[in-house]
Amino acid sequence: MKIGFLGLGNMGQAIAANLLKGEHELRVWNRSPQATQSLVELGAKAVTEPAEAFDADVVFSMLADDKALRLVLLDSGLLKQLKAPLIHVNLATIAVTFADELAELHKAQGIDYIAAPVMGRPNVAAAAQLNILAAGPEQAIDTVQPLFDLIGRKTWRLGEKASAANAMKLATNFLLVSAVEAMSEAAVLVTRHGLKSADLVDLVSNTIFTGPVYSGYGALIGERRYEPAAFKAVLGLKDVDLILAAASQVQVQMPTADMIRANLQDAVDHGQGEMDLAVLAEVAERRNPA
């Protein structure tokens, strides 16, 4: 297939590299061109304009947020220039309402739109072990399934309505940030009782809370190691804003999300927004001065 890929952050680079392993023709675009270099060395072709990346059978996008995607695809007028047959797979975590808008705008152009946000950190993406939450036209998902198999361990199909995938991803992200917040608070509790937070993490990640969230983020909290960031606190704040917006849309109250949002804003206000989400542990420390 001819594949386009837009957005080459840590996740995007890892995913694009795995698509190349399928020996497909890959065109890559990023706002900062230097991010394309490593993929060019692997066989991709760098393009200077997003429209060139859309000269393809399938285009993957993983842009930073709703604003970036809207700027590249809608405000530029690019979407109105595109023609079928074309499948656009959006891997980013975006607002539920924006996903609905994109699905309708693509449909009006005769283009298949698939929402496919992914679960996993950059190391998981590099190992092609992502979980892919996919929703959109079934036939289009069937077409790109071999590509999903190159980048992930499992594709979770969530129906024809594209925004369903984004709602599910936001729910999983809420559970993730809640777990990190809980670990942060528990770490302060045990350290104030003369225990090591690393011992707490070792205990729970090998007993009642096995899995990558507690072992991975827990290790960062135990070691107070927040850089380099795999998932930046500022992006966590963006996601919690999307979670609260999705909840408001269906009149659901999420007081825990409100509290976590305030704590993430505290991290950003203290110049820690570019650090890993695990920096919530520092917020917990500030909230509980010795």
Side-chain angles (χ1 to χ4, degrees):
M1 292 185 188
K2 291 175 62 177
I3 303 173
F5 202 106
L6 296 88
L8 300 171
N10 291 337
M11 291 289 289
Q13 285 205 23
I15 293 170
N18 283 326
L19 288 171
L20 280 169
K21 294 177 182 178
E23 300 184 355
H24 299 286
E25 179 184 334
L26 183 67
R27 296 183 176 192
V28 294
W29 176 85
N30 194 68
R31 184 174 58 183
S32 303
Q34 60 267 28
T36 65
Q37 186 56 44
S38 62
L39 290 166
V40 170
E41 293 171 0
L42 293 174
K45 178 183 178 181
V47 296
T48 58
E49 296 294 335
E52 296 177 81
F54 272 92
D55 181 18
D57 303 308
V58 179
V59 177
F60 288 84
S61 61
M62 196 163 200
L63 299 170
D65 52 29
D66 294 37
K67 181 180 178 180
L69 182 57
R70 185 177 291 278
L71 181 65
V72 169
L73 193 61
L74 303 185
D75 294 349
S76 66
L78 174 57
L79 181 57
K80 291 184 178 180
Q81 300 170 22
L82 302 179
K83 294 180 174 61
L86 175 65
I87 300 173
H88 176 201
V89 181
N90 183 15
L91 302 170
T93 301
I94 64 170
V96 172
T97 52
F98 190 30
D100 285 331
E101 178 185 356
L102 286 172
E104 287 300 315
L105 291 172
H106 281 73
K107 184 177 180 180
Q109 290 294 117
I111 297 169
D112 289 319
Y113 176 77
I114 299 172
V118 298
M119 295 171 60
R121 289 160 72 93
N123 62 315
V124 177
Q129 290 295 301
L130 294 167
N131 281 281
I132 303 163
L133 312 183
E138 185 175 3
Q139 187 174 358
I141 296 177
D142 287 341
T143 299
V144 301
Q145 187 62 59
L147 303 180
F148 285 160
D149 292 342
L150 288 171
I151 68 175
R153 63 177 293 270
K154 182 170 181 176
T155 300
W156 302 79
R157 297 198 181 198
L158 299 169
E160 295 262 341
K161 186 177 181 181
S163 62
N166 298 102
M168 186 68 81
K169 178 64 190 314
L170 291 174
T172 63
N173 278 14
F174 170 65
L175 294 172
L176 168 63
V177 296
S178 298
V180 176
E181 174 64 30
M183 281 187 288
S184 299
E185 295 179 22
V188 174
L189 175 64
V190 298
T191 55
R192 297 295 169 85
H193 281 279
L195 298 162
K196 296 179 180 178
S197 56
D199 289 342
L200 168 68
V201 172
D202 187 38
L203 172 63
V204 300
S205 63
N206 284 287
T207 54
I208 57 174
F209 293 123
T210 59
V213 172
Y214 281 85
S215 61
Y217 286 99
L220 299 181
I221 290 171
E223 299 168 16
R224 303 187 76 157
R225 175 170 52 88
Y226 313 120
E227 296 178 299
F231 183 25
K232 296 178 181 179
V234 68
L235 294 180
L237 178 60
K238 181 265 292 185
D239 282 359
V240 173
D241 281 337
L242 295 180
I243 291 163
L244 289 168
S248 177
Q249 183 181 345
V250 288
Q251 293 80 51
V252 171
Q253 295 185 21
M254 301 185 75
T256 302
D258 284 320
M259 180 266 291
I260 295 172
R261 190 206 179 283
N263 291 344
L264 286 167
Q265 185 65 59
D266 180 275
V268 171
D269 292 344
H270 282 82
Q272 298 170 321
E274 297 299 308
M275 295 183 180
D276 197 271
L277 181 67
V279 80
L280 280 170
E282 298 301 306
V283 178
E285 288 281 358
R286 280 196 293 273
R287 201 169 55 240
N288 296 281

